[in-house]
Every structure is written in structure tokens, then in C-alpha cells.
Amino acid sequence: MIEFKNITKKFGKLQVLEQVDLSINKPGIYAILGPNGSGKTTLIKCLLGMTIPTSGQIFVDGQDTKGKWEFRNQISYLPQIANFPKNMTVTELLRLIKTLRKQASAEQPLIDVFGLKPYLNKNMGTLSGGTKQKVNLVLALMTDNPIVILDEPTSGLDPLALLELKKLIKIEKEKGKTILITSHIMSLVEELSDEIVFLLEGKIHFRGTVDALKTKTQTVDFDEAIAQILKPSHV
Ligand code: ADP
Ligand code: MG
């Protein structure tokens, strides 16, 4: 379904990804984890063709994605940093993205879930970080695609919105989708993920279920397990 083959990415002298091989062959929720700067966003952007790998190949449904763009039509994507036009209202922005995507979209239930109705006629530039993130989520989730990529969807969200997000991700999974997610909220990752992929120093340091990680690190606590694999004895 999604295959990274020998992906290396360098920014000048900085090596961010080093010969990363990763196959995702089954639908489900895959959490991409790793410390800040470990290359999670870079890996995602390589998949989308927003960053060109220094070497290696990426396949989606068996097709090499290099130089192609049609495959993106089947991906819903939430960027970690979304620079929305400040002088556009929420409604105008929604309309713009809908026009660009040329796909059926169901934004109204998402607007309701995140309580965005009072903000629809406000300029994006006037919204708080959390509210902007809710708009970002509406834009990402309003279209129905088999691959969903959420780069730090939890950032800035209040507890209620976090709860709603979890429900939405579970619904997406039940539709048989392949979902890639990065987040620093470990409770969410533990609750939702079928597998975790832990990036460290440009390589995949661990891949498996949360339970497998706990067994490997001999701990019952997920936060503790993550801390353990960063220790030299496991590196
Ligand atoms: P993560 O998402 O895991 O926090 P990133 O993939 O955003 O990490 O970044 C990995 C590393 O690559 C960081 O050191 C970051 O500064 C660097 N980096 C990311 N994008 C660029 C870029 N366009 N130019 C130069 N360095 C970059
Ligand atoms: Mg990132």
C-alpha cells in the first residue's frame, strides 16, 4: 500500500533520514514517533512529494510516486504547520480548498463537532492557535480518502476537542483506511495505534505494537517504554 524503499534525506550536511525502509501493507493506525527533529515531518513530506528524497523510492499501491501527483488525490493530509491566508475568513478558506480538491466533502458535521460555527465569518488571522488547528482538521478530514496523514493533529487542542479527534480517527479506521499520525500525546497514541514506528537518528529504531514495545523494554507504562528505548542499552 505504502512503501518507503531506502529513503535518505539530507538538507545540506544534515542527514535527516538514512536508508529508511518502511512498508505499510495493512489498513490501520500507524503512529510515527520520535524526538523533535527526528524526521517525522520530513518522512511524511517525502511521501507526499513535498520534499524530494536525496535517494530512495516511495511506492503507493505499487506505483513509484516519483514525478507523479495523481496518487495524492487519495490522501487526506493535515500539515503540522499550516500557513493559512490571514485575511480570509474560515468560510472563504473552506470554499477555496473545496474548489481545489474537486472532491465531495462533508465539512458541516466537522464544523459542528469542533464548535466552529461562531468563527465561520472571522478572519483566519484573528483565530487562536487551537481554533486554527480545528479549521486545519476540518480541511483535512472533510474529504473521504483511503489514506489519511495527520502530522501533529493534537497540537493546541483543548481536552474536549482532543476527545472528539480521537472519535473521528476511530471512525476513519473503521472505514478501513490507512492512517499515519504523529503526536506527542502518548495516551492518544497508546489508545489508537495498531503499530508504532519510532524514528531515531535518521533510522527506524523500533517498529511494532505498543505491547511489543512494552515487552521489549520490560515496562507496563507506555511513556516509560518510550523513555526506555531512548536509553543507550536499547540504542
Ligand atoms: P520532526 O517532525 O520529527 O520534529 P522534521 O522532519 O521537521 O522533524 O525535521 C528533521 C530535521 O530536519 C530538523 O533538524 C529540521 O531542522 C531539519 N529540516 C526540516 N526541514 C528542513 C528544510 N527545509 N531545510 C533544512 N532543514 C530542514
Ligand atoms: Mg514534525
Side-chain angles (χ1 to χ4, degrees):
M1 218 178 269
I2 301 173
E3 189 172 14
F4 296 86
K5 258 194 176 162
N6 217 2
I7 291 294
T8 291
K9 178 65 191 178
K10 292 180 190 167
F11 292 109
K13 282 190 181 151
L14 178 72
Q15 172 125 26
V16 178
L17 300 171
E18 196 182 335
Q19 297 180 325
V20 169
D21 283 314
L22 174 63
S23 307
I24 293 174
N25 299 317
K26 263 198 314 198
I29 302 179
Y30 298 82
I32 300 171
L33 305 179
N36 292 332
S38 57
K40 303 179 293 294
T41 296
T42 302
L43 189 70
I44 286 170
K45 284 189 170 175
C46 285
L47 169 58
L48 293 159
M50 297 166 73
T51 288
I52 308 300
T54 308
S55 60
Q57 289 170 295
I58 299 171
F59 297 86
V60 172
D61 290 337
Q63 296 256 5
D64 191 340
T65 58
K66 193 169 180 192
K68 307 234 173 58
W69 53 271
E70 293 89 347
F71 74 97
R72 293 194 211 171
N73 288 339
Q74 46 167 325
I75 302 179
S76 293
Y77 169 52
L78 177 106
Q80 178 174 9
I81 298 170
N83 286 314
F84 297 122
K86 289 189 172 51
N87 295 325
M88 265 189 156
T89 67
V90 176
T91 301
E92 286 166 349
L93 181 63
L94 283 166
R95 206 177 294 144
L96 174 73
I97 303 293
K98 278 167 68 164
T99 312
L100 290 173
R101 287 230 59 153
K102 297 189 187 89
Q103 261 190 304
S105 64
E107 64 279 11
Q108 197 54 52
L110 295 163
I111 289 169
D112 294 340
V113 153
F114 289 121
L116 286 172
K117 204 162 163 235
Y119 302 98
L120 291 177
N121 294 317
K122 294 211 161 46
N123 278 342
M124 287 303 296
T126 65
L127 303 182
S128 72
T131 306
K132 264 187 221 151
Q133 182 69 348
K134 289 175 188 173
V135 175
N136 199 11
L137 283 164
V138 173
L139 293 170
L141 296 173
M142 67 184 182
T143 48
D144 192 16
N145 292 299
I147 299 173
V148 180
I149 300 175
L150 304 172
D151 196 356
E152 308 283 353
T154 54
S155 81
L157 293 186
D158 55 56
L160 201 63
L162 206 56
L163 209 64
E164 294 299 342
L165 175 66
K166 269 199 282 199
K167 284 191 213 161
L168 289 169
I169 296 173
K170 284 181 187 166
I171 292 169
E172 294 293 278
K173 177 182 159 160
E174 280 161 17
K175 293 182 192 161
K177 300 188 179 190
T178 300
I179 301 160
L180 305 189
I181 179 167
T182 74
S183 176
H184 292 292
I185 311 269
M186 286 301 128
S187 58
L188 177 134
V189 169
E190 181 171 16
E191 186 181 332
L192 295 182
S193 318
D194 294 302
E195 280 196 53
I196 60 176
V197 175
F198 195 94
L199 288 178
L200 189 67
E201 290 165 4
K203 299 197 168 116
I204 295 178
H205 185 54
F206 174 85
R207 179 189 176 167
T209 62
V210 168
D211 282 342
L213 179 70
K214 287 178 179 173
T215 306
K216 181 182 161 99
T217 54
Q218 296 178 320
T219 160
V220 291
D221 183 75
F222 184 48
D223 293 275
E224 185 57 34
I226 292 288
Q228 284 290 336
I229 50 164
L230 288 166
K231 287 192 174 160
S233 59
H234 285 288
V235 171

